Amino acid sequence: MYFAAISAARGFLLLTLLLAWIAGNKASLLLFSSTEANLNRKARKLMTWAVVLTLSSAGVVGGIAWLMAITDSIFWRDRLLIPPLLIVPTVMIWTVSVPRLRKIRQATGRKTNSPLDLRLLVRASQPAIIAPYQFVALGALTGMYWTFTTTVPFDIWNGAIPLILLLIAGMALWLSHLNRSSRISLDGKAPANRPFMRLMRRLAVLVVAIALGSVPFYSALKASRLPETVSMAEGPMDNGSGMSLAHHNHSEAVTASAEPVKEISVDSLTGPAEGKPDVSYTLTAEKKTVKLASGRAVEAWTYNGQIPGPELRFKKGQLVEVKLANKDIEEGVTLHWHGLDVPNAEDGVAGATQNAVMPGETHTYRFVAEQVGSFWYHSHQDSREAVEKGLFGSLVVEPEEGMPADVKDITVMTHLWDNHGIAIGDNDGIQHIKIEPGTPVRLRLANTDDWIRQTYKLLGTTFQVAAIDGTELHEPGNLNKVSLDLITGGRYDVTFTMPDTPVTLNVGQGGKLGIVMSPDGNGELPKHAPNLPVFDPTHYGTPTSTPFDANSHFDREFTMVLDNQLGFFNGKLALNYTINGEVFPNTPMFMVREGELVKTTIVNRGAVDHPMHLHGHHMLVLSRNGEPVTGSPWWTDTLDTAPGEVYEVAFVADNPGLWMDHCHNLAHAASGMTMHLMYEGITSPYTVGTATSNHPE
Ligand code: C2O
Ligand code: CU
């Protein structure tokens, strides 16, 4: 609906621009009518054009009204600038142009074949007829500019400069028509109709406009180049406010803290430095050609020569030590524990919490796992490329006492290898697993792929979604015939008791990729997975108490507006994916203090989904599109916001540091859709930028 509404508004705007351009052109050529009859006909046609432009403009206004009817004002308040730009000139057409056209039609009512006399020439060339049509085109052009660049929060100059240019262009048009018209009355005859000269004149205007525009264009282009070195601990800040969807203003802005906060370096926020680890792993990053089950070879970047990397599995409370070595990945590597809220220095983000580990180097991570659940790890250096090529693996934290011995625990990581062919782990076909009836089964679904919203269909049994993003749900009910859609980075744990008959997990459209579980190890994957409704976590399970809820007092409130904007990124003109109107490194970081309760409203005004991932914290989802979450508390670390959606989430700032907050569609992150959460007083010795070896995305 949202997408349809914005598309309608944009489509009609483009249509209006084209039509008004044509109509304006026709109006300005009226005086070149060869005969009175010809002028009479052209005047009539222009009156028809008035109707056409009115309808098309009404389409734009209708699209915006539709948007207003179905969404919160944050989706359209800036777009309210557009209707007046179309309505005013349209009204001018009807009140100024049309009456004059009517007079011309009366004067030429006899439709003779005689050429226009001076009186008719002057009438046909008056600016009052021509300019209003052209003003519609100018208005539509300005509207188009705003549609692709206007940001929320609204930037006054982005609104004012096009308006000023619009006024100047409108005045220039009017004056040039006036000039031509008075020359006609002075000369007593029509000017020569020279289309070539007209074209040349227009080209000249275009060239001048481009020349004038190129100065700010190139300086903005240059300014957008990524800096050589920049510390993520410094830069523009957003201190939050009491800003909510109900009243958009910054009046309650939280000012910088009353008492200064002691400075702490990211480097000192490590896990336990002393003590013998309970579990230790060594992960060596290396390039390797790896074969999938089908025999297809993948030029991979691996941990320990395998794709995905080895599963890391340990128990809550254990001290874990992971030694990372880089054999030959020239781009550098790190290890980030996606969804596991470790101390900041162990978070593994190149340029934020450590330097990228270059070939021949090592880095050791030490932490105690405090959560139980399904997570994953991946490199956070050049992560778009690294994850795509295989630098990731499964990470499972079991309860202190371990998983019950009888549980069949199956990890399902779906990934697209080499840009074609999705696989579960390294198996790009159908797997068969023999499971005794009555066995409790836990499938740990994780979508590690970049673009895809992966669809999983579990057929042949009722089941529960036991956990989302590593957090158990409260009293999850039985599900049957629902599709589980996972966005990139997200995890669902699915549980069921093995029946006597086969159960199939179908990935994608069915028939090609999946798991057949059966008592005898046989069975078929259905050729076509049925169409099923999609699982909705907002009304699933039952409520239980949480440390805070939607009615709590929030110390900070932030708004995160996701959008597409025409702009500049790293020296290129691009349709950027923006957060609060900006791209990395210009997006203001969210500032918090330890202990605060923080609420964030995530709004997607763009055209595609954005699964936003906050490091180091789990967010409690409070509401979606104004509707509270009524089932089990839903904690997430990677939350997808679809176009037109608004989510309210909250978390406790209980893990000091510098924490990335980015779209986990890593291609979006790499093109600037990344920002961070920053605790006051935190400093970082690390830098990112073109002159450094740190490129976290
Ligand atoms: Cu899974 Cu910042 O990433
Ligand atoms: Cu995105």
Side-chain angles (χ1 to χ4, degrees), residues 34-355:
S34 50
T35 61
E36 283 189 15
N38 191 233
L39 178 62
N40 186 284
R41 198 169 57 242
K42 283 187 176 168
R44 196 191 61 229
K45 279 195 181 156
L46 263 183
M47 285 158 78
T48 314
W49 276 101
V51 177
V52 171
L53 290 186
T54 307
L55 290 176
S56 173
S57 301
V60 178
V61 177
I64 292 170
W66 184 10
L67 210 54
M68 292 173 71
I70 61 172
T71 60
D72 186 89
S73 78
I74 199 157
F75 290 101
W76 45 259
R77 53 182 202 257
D78 56 307
R79 295 184 167 113
L80 291 183
L81 286 164
I82 298 171
L85 294 187
L86 298 176
I87 293 171
V88 170
T90 309
V91 168
M92 278 178 80
I93 289 181
W94 287 107
T95 56
V96 181
S97 308
V98 169
R100 285 176 171 74
L101 288 169
R102 212 170 264 142
K103 285 222 180 87
I104 288 180
R105 294 206 62 209
Q106 280 159 13
T108 54
R110 283 168 292 114
K111 300 186 181 150
T112 65
N113 276 334
S114 46
L116 310 190
D117 61 14
L118 182 60
R119 196 177 42 95
L120 276 177
L121 278 177
V122 172
R123 271 195 181 178
S125 62
Q126 42 189 324
I129 290 184
I130 309 161
Y133 285 91
Q134 297 178 327
F135 290 170
V136 177
L138 285 179
L141 188 66
T142 310
M144 288 290 279
Y145 174 80
W146 277 335
T147 316
F148 287 106
T149 64
T150 305
T151 56
V152 171
F154 188 64
D155 171 16
I156 183 77
W157 289 111
N158 199 32
I161 291 176
L163 267 187
I164 294 168
L165 290 178
L166 171 80
L167 284 177
I168 293 175
M171 253 145 52
L173 275 174
W174 188 283
L175 287 177
S176 86
H177 295 318
L178 194 65
N179 181 24
R180 186 173 66 168
S181 178
S182 50
R183 200 129 28 87
I184 291 171
S185 27
L186 275 181
D187 296 357
K189 63 174 173 37
N193 183 7
R194 283 180 300 193
F196 180 73
M197 285 308 292
R198 203 155 50 227
L199 186 69
M200 282 306 160
R201 231 181 2 251
R202 282 182 194 177
L203 277 179
V205 170
L206 197 67
V207 166
V208 170
I210 289 176
L212 287 178
S214 66
V215 177
F217 182 89
Y218 280 104
S219 67
L221 199 65
K222 218 168 131 205
S224 79
R225 273 201 213 129
L226 289 181
E228 290 189 346
T229 64
V230 61
S231 165
M232 287 171 59
E234 285 147 30
M237 292 186 274
D238 180 347
N239 283 303
S241 66
M243 177 168 165
S244 72
L245 286 178
H247 35 95
H248 311 278
N249 58 61
H250 289 275
S251 60
E252 299 171 58
V254 178
T255 41
S257 303
E259 76 254 35
V261 181
K262 175 157 122 279
E263 286 207 345
I264 298 176
S265 168
V266 158
D267 255 350
S268 64
L269 298 166
T270 62
E274 304 293 319
K276 186 173 166 305
D278 299 302
V279 222
S280 37
Y281 294 97
T282 302
L283 294 181
T284 304
E286 61 171 306
K287 293 189 177 163
K288 204 171 163 189
T289 308
V290 187
K291 285 225 162 78
L292 300 180
S294 66
R296 201 159 64 74
V298 174
E299 299 297 325
W301 292 3
T302 71
Y303 289 117
N304 295 2
Q306 55 188 100
I307 54 168
E311 175 164 282
L312 309 186
R313 202 178 253 268
F314 38 83
K315 294 181 177 63
K316 183 179 176 203
Q318 287 186 320
L319 175 58
V320 181
E321 184 176 289
V322 184
K323 191 170 150 199
L324 168 67
N326 181 358
K327 193 170 152 206
D328 58 4
I329 313 275
E330 295 101 35
E331 289 80 355
V333 293
T334 68
L335 279 172
H336 165 62
W337 323 99
H338 183 119
L340 198 62
D341 303 333
V342 298
N344 195 226
E346 315 295 344
D347 196 43
V349 180
T353 64
Q354 66 173 94
N355 284 321

Side-chain angles (χ1 to χ4, degrees), residues 515-532:
I515 303 178
V516 179
M517 292 156 277
S518 62
D520 59 0
N522 295 323
E524 297 284 313
L525 201 66
K527 281 280 160 288
H528 299 286
N531 279 332
L532 300 174

Side-chain angles (χ1 to χ4, degrees), residues 451 562 577 604 608-612 640 662-669 673:
W451 262 111
L562 315 173
Y577 297 106
N604 186 350
V608 293
D609 289 50
H610 297 295
M612 297 303 293
D640 185 49
H662 61 91
C663 180
H664 219 285
N665 178 330
L666 296 173
H668 292 181
M673 195 170 219

Side-chain angles (χ1 to χ4, degrees), residues 421-438:
I422 294 180
I424 296 175
D426 64 354
N427 194 326
D428 49 350
I430 299 164
Q431 299 173 55
H432 288 84
I433 302 178
K434 193 171 161 179
I435 304 176
E436 283 297 309

Side-chain angles (χ1 to χ4, degrees), residues 336 338 376 378 380 613 615 660 662 664:
H336 165 62
H338 183 119
W376 62 300
H378 62 79
H380 220 303
H613 170 50
H615 288 207
M660 300 296 285
H662 61 91
H664 219 285

